[in-house]
Amino acid sequence: MILKEVIKSAVCCYFKDEITMSNIVVENPKERKMGDYALPCFSYAKVVHKAPNVIAEELKVYLVNHCSLIERVEAIGGYANVFLDRGRIAEEVLTTIIAQKDNYGYNDSGLGKTIVIDYSSPNIAKPFGVGHLRSTVIGNALRNICKKNGYNVIGINYLGDWGTQFGKMICAYKMWGNTEEIKKNPIDELKRLYVKFHEEAEKDPSLEDLGRKAFKDLEDGDPKSLELWKWFRDESLIEFKKTYDLLGVSDFDSWQGESFYNDKMDVVVEELEDKHLLEESEGAMIVSLDNDLPPALIKRSDGATLYITRDLAAAIHRKKEYDFAEALYVVGNEQSLHFNQLKQVLAKMGYEWNKDIHHISFGLILQNGKKMSTRHGKSVKLHDVLEEAIALSKEYMMNRNSTLDNIDLISQKVGVGAVIFNDLKNYRINDIEFHLEDILKFEGETGPYIQYTYARIMSLLENKKNIEFSFKNVTFNEYEWYLIFNLYQFADVIKRAKENYDPSEVAKYLIDIARDFNKWYALERMIDEDVEKTESRLLVAEATSIVIKEGMRLLGIEVLNKM
Ligand code: ARG
């Protein structure tokens, strides 16, 4: 049941179709006590030749008589404020949630359409840094949210596993590498070699050429180079998977990284040539762009391809393979130029579907206002951040309740959940502050706060007897009603989160739900002698737990029965 639509059609009848459905406005009032919905009457005045307050007065009588879901209407200052029949709506909302369980909130608007999401996409032979946290968790949440809107979703981990840096790495390995050391500690050792290469290249610039030449060999399929590259890649994936497991993110549909496109770029370059888009510039091949965009560099003068060359091949390949309705790229703000260039080159090639490509950008993770880094200014490993969050969360848990069974598992879910929730609760474009102590707090806008609310409901539900009761006999007080009405909004939130590609819609909603629940919980005795009312309260609590659990699942966070 879509309440706003029901009210709109009743208002439409009142106007005897002088005003169309699409012109009828149903708002959420500024304050909850002003009603469940507000109908501003100003824009109708000219059409029906009546003053707004007159329209509001007439609607007040009309709606109560013609819409059984409305209990009363107040006319104030040109607004008709609608108060719904709480008993009826509560019955509808609660029974729907209990019947649909984790399916509640689903809509099928995406049925038959595919969305491809390119997310996480770390670079191999480097540590999985905290810089890739945001893409990973935002992408994962968007993936769940799109599915909840009925879309078929393909999650792609477009690994950064190709490019000149691997030529340099191969050179460095050949010059200074030690197989045993790499086997012991692959990522750190490869990173060390890579850094050493750069240090040495400062003294001896000819190394740069050597690196480029080595990448060219790799591109041309030299077996020895490929073997080394594959080894680096395999070792990296083993490491990355540990981090994904900890985060609870692992179900990518595809791991086709940049290297996958090595043999798919020639046709793209030919196509650019055939379409007369390719120009030579200082030995390199470029595509000139409009609107002040710098040209896209497609091939370097030595013939090597670039990041954008691979992204062009990947976009065209994905369109052929999946016939996507939308392709999302969850990548930081700093790559905006790259994605603008990519879209424009595709447009110039005549691919109208370039408009279905969306760069889902996001801000930085800051610590005290500065980009998060180690004391030596290096990038922080995501695994270390998560381990630290888990350790501190364990400390907090021990202080609160040391009798918990499997405290390690609980601390893990709470610590990791806190990191993810902190990332998703703000609009993604904004930079986020990262303060372990704050994000692990049990009060405020945190993951643990939501998880704790869930656990509280779970222990309450141990008292549930599942007796039948009649909604006609029970009444819902103010706080209980706000909560129920908010539970009703879940489907809307899921739609908005998809439309804006914004998981924070869901996170903020969960904060509201948890707040509503806790306010109600603090003011009312949940279990008393009134058996029917007690059972109705527990039903509201159960419905709340279903929505919290499902909302958290969409964000990629687990809830706990006890904590
Ligand atoms: N590996 C890249 C990086 O770490 C991100 C890749 C994003 N996806 C893409 N199709 N370009 O910066």
Side-chain angles (χ1 to χ4, degrees):
M1 176 180 48
I2 302 173
L3 284 172
K4 275 189 181 174
E5 297 304 306
V6 175
I7 293 170
K8 273 187 189 178
S9 73
V11 176
C12 210
C13 287
Y14 155 76
F15 283 124
K16 302 208 175 59
D17 294 329
E18 264 183 287
I19 299 203
T20 56
M21 273 281 267
S22 58
N23 286 319
I24 290 168
V25 185
V26 179
E27 291 177 352
N28 296 325
K30 289 191 186 62
E31 280 175 63
R32 282 168 153 180
K33 63 175 192 293
M34 290 166 74
D36 301 314
Y37 289 119
L39 310 174
C41 299
F42 310 97
S43 64
Y44 316 131
K46 269 212 182 97
V47 188
V48 298
H49 308 292
K50 283 180 192 167
N53 59 332
V54 176
I55 301 173
E57 285 294 342
E58 288 183 15
L59 274 176
K60 173 175 158 177
V61 180
Y62 184 91
L63 289 178
V64 175
N65 291 330
H66 291 82
C67 183
S68 60
L69 293 173
I70 295 177
E71 196 180 76
R72 74 194 155 89
V73 179
E74 285 175 3
I76 300 168
Y79 278 90
N81 291 334
V82 173
F83 293 80
L84 297 165
D85 180 337
R86 292 180 178 179
R88 278 196 56 186
I89 310 282
E91 176 169 6
E92 168 90 23
V93 174
L94 298 175
T95 49
T96 307
I97 298 175
I98 302 293
Q100 298 184 342
K101 299 254 167 1
D102 53 9
N103 227 347
Y104 180 65
Y106 173 87
N107 75 78
D108 62 4
S109 58
L111 229 51
K113 285 180 266 186
T114 296
I115 296 188
V116 170
I117 311 186
D118 176 320
Y119 67 106
S120 194
S121 311
N123 302 319
I124 66 158
K126 274 193 193 165
F128 195 142
V130 74
H132 282 88
L133 170 69
R134 302 211 69 191
S135 172
T136 308
V137 301
I138 295 171
N140 187 50
L142 285 177
R143 179 184 176 152
N144 296 332
I145 289 166
C146 290
K147 282 190 184 166
K148 190 89 180 171
N149 280 278
Y151 288 88
N152 173 39
V153 185
I154 306 289
I156 302 182
N157 194 335
Y158 184 68
L159 293 171
D161 60 0
W162 211 242
T164 332
Q165 67 272 35
F166 299 104
K168 294 178 182 171
M169 194 89 70
I170 289 170
C171 282
Y173 173 76
K174 284 185 179 160
M175 288 185 287
W176 315 294
N178 174 323
T179 316
E180 288 316 306
E181 288 300 314
I182 298 185
K183 278 194 182 140
K184 255 191 268 160
N185 192 359
I187 303 283
D188 287 334
E189 187 57 18
L190 289 174
K191 176 91 194 282
R192 193 187 65 79
L193 287 173
Y194 189 64
V195 171
K196 182 168 168 79
F197 185 92
H198 278 274
E199 285 165 3
E200 297 294 326
E202 297 240 315
K203 293 177 232 156
D204 175 6
S206 73
L207 281 182
E208 291 286 346
D209 286 336
L210 223 56
R212 270 196 284 272
K213 161 90 177 47
F215 177 54
K216 194 75 183 60
D217 290 345
L218 185 62
E219 280 195 300
D220 294 342
D222 168 55
K224 180 71 197 155
S225 311
L226 272 174
E227 191 189 317
L228 281 175
W229 167 83
K230 191 171 174 306
W231 177 39
F232 299 161
R233 188 180 194 272
D234 290 347
E235 291 294 351
S236 306
L237 286 188
I238 293 172
E239 283 293 307
F240 291 175
K241 286 202 170 134
K242 290 182 199 156
T243 305
Y244 286 128
D245 282 347
L246 205 53
L247 266 179
V249 171
S250 53
D251 50 348
F252 294 95
D253 301 292
S254 158
W255 292 80
Q256 286 170 352
E258 294 186 42
S259 64
F260 177 77
Y261 297 96
N262 186 39
D263 60 359
K264 295 172 184 60
M265 283 179 287
D266 282 350
V267 275
V268 176
V269 176
E270 272 166 37
E271 191 180 332
L272 287 168
E273 203 151 24
D274 290 347
K275 291 180 174 166
H276 307 293
L277 294 168
L278 218 52
E279 297 163 40
E280 210 194 301
S281 166
E282 296 169 31
M285 300 309 257
I286 62 163
V287 174
S288 294
L289 300 175
D290 315 326
N291 303 331
D292 295 332
L293 281 185
L297 183 53
I298 303 293
K299 258 191 177 191
R300 252 205 295 262
S301 52
D302 63 1
T305 57
L306 290 108
Y307 185 48
I308 196 164
T309 327
R310 291 186 279 283
D311 252 331
L312 276 170
I316 294 169
H317 177 263
R318 288 172 189 174
K319 182 68 189 173
K320 280 204 191 106
E321 177 109 347
Y322 304 114
D323 191 25
F324 57 73
E326 290 170 58
L328 314 184
Y329 292 79
V330 189
V331 189
N333 294 342
E334 67 280 2
Q335 291 195 23
S336 299
L337 172 63
H338 169 76
F339 287 102
N340 280 333
Q341 289 177 312
L342 177 68
K343 285 183 75 166
Q344 208 183 99
V345 175
L346 289 168
K348 285 189 180 278
M349 292 174 90
Y351 293 126
E352 279 173 17
W353 48 263
N354 84 322
K355 64 172 189 344
D356 304 322
I357 288 186
H358 304 286
H359 175 202
I360 309 302
S361 60
F362 52 80
L364 297 172
I365 301 183
L366 305 179
Q367 230 165 12
N368 303 319
K370 285 203 222 89
K371 189 171 171 173
M372 192 171 175
S373 62
T374 65
R375 241 180 294 149
H376 312 290
K378 302 234 172 70
S379 104
V380 183
K381 286 185 196 172
L382 178 52
H383 216 273
D384 294 348
V385 172
L386 296 175
E387 295 285 7
E388 207 184 323
I390 294 167
L392 193 60
S393 122
K394 184 169 173 182
E395 209 180 298
Y396 287 2
M397 301 301 268
M398 299 288 266
N399 289 340
R400 290 173 69 94
N401 180 0
S402 54
T403 62
L404 281 170
D405 291 340
N406 49 38
I407 190 143
D408 284 320
L409 191 70
I410 295 177
S411 318
Q412 179 180 327
K413 304 287 177 217
V414 173
V416 172
V419 172
I420 299 178
F421 196 85
N422 177 60
D423 196 302
L424 297 179
K425 74 175 183 187
N426 293 307
Y427 182 49
R428 58 184 162 74
I429 302 285
N430 302 333
D431 293 341
I432 55 168
E433 263 294 332
F434 187 91
H435 255 290
L436 218 40
E437 289 79 12
D438 290 343
I439 70 178
L440 283 169
K441 282 198 179 122
F442 275 63
E443 305 84 32
E445 304 184 345
T446 65
Y449 173 66
I450 313 283
Q451 284 170 321
Y452 184 63
T453 305
Y454 181 86
R456 173 178 265 179
I457 297 176
M458 282 314 173
S459 75
L460 191 61
L461 289 181
E462 284 168 10
N463 302 292
K464 202 164 180 316
K465 302 196 180 66
N466 289 318
I467 57 154
E468 289 282 326
F469 67 91
S470 159
F471 281 90
K472 286 192 195 71
N473 301 338
V474 296
T475 51
F476 297 94
N477 72 25
E478 211 74 341
Y479 288 103
E480 203 173 7
W481 166 249
Y482 292 155
L483 173 60
I484 295 169
F485 194 50
N486 214 355
L487 293 174
Y488 166 73
Q489 320 284 338
F490 192 40
D492 260 358
V493 171
I494 288 166
K495 271 193 210 139
R496 271 206 312 275
K498 155 66 185 63
E499 275 157 22
N500 304 330
Y501 309 111
D502 181 16
S504 77
E505 294 272 0
V506 176
K508 289 198 183 100
Y509 171 75
L510 290 176
I511 294 170
D512 282 348
I513 291 283
R515 268 202 199 123
D516 279 352
F517 177 82
N518 287 317
K519 242 186 236 159
W520 173 49
Y521 184 86
L523 290 169
E524 183 147 328
R525 260 181 71 199
M526 291 286 133
I527 295 160
D528 60 14
E529 348 24 86
D530 185 342
V531 184
E532 274 208 314
K533 186 56 208 169
T534 297
E535 205 57 13
S536 106
R537 289 191 202 103
L538 294 179
L539 191 73
V540 176
E542 186 179 357
T544 308
S545 73
I546 292 173
V547 170
I548 292 182
K549 184 175 182 191
E550 179 58 5
M552 289 291 259
R553 185 194 68 80
L554 293 175
L555 298 181
I557 304 173
E558 279 182 56
V559 286
L560 298 150
N561 290 345
K562 281 203 168 59
M563 63 185 268

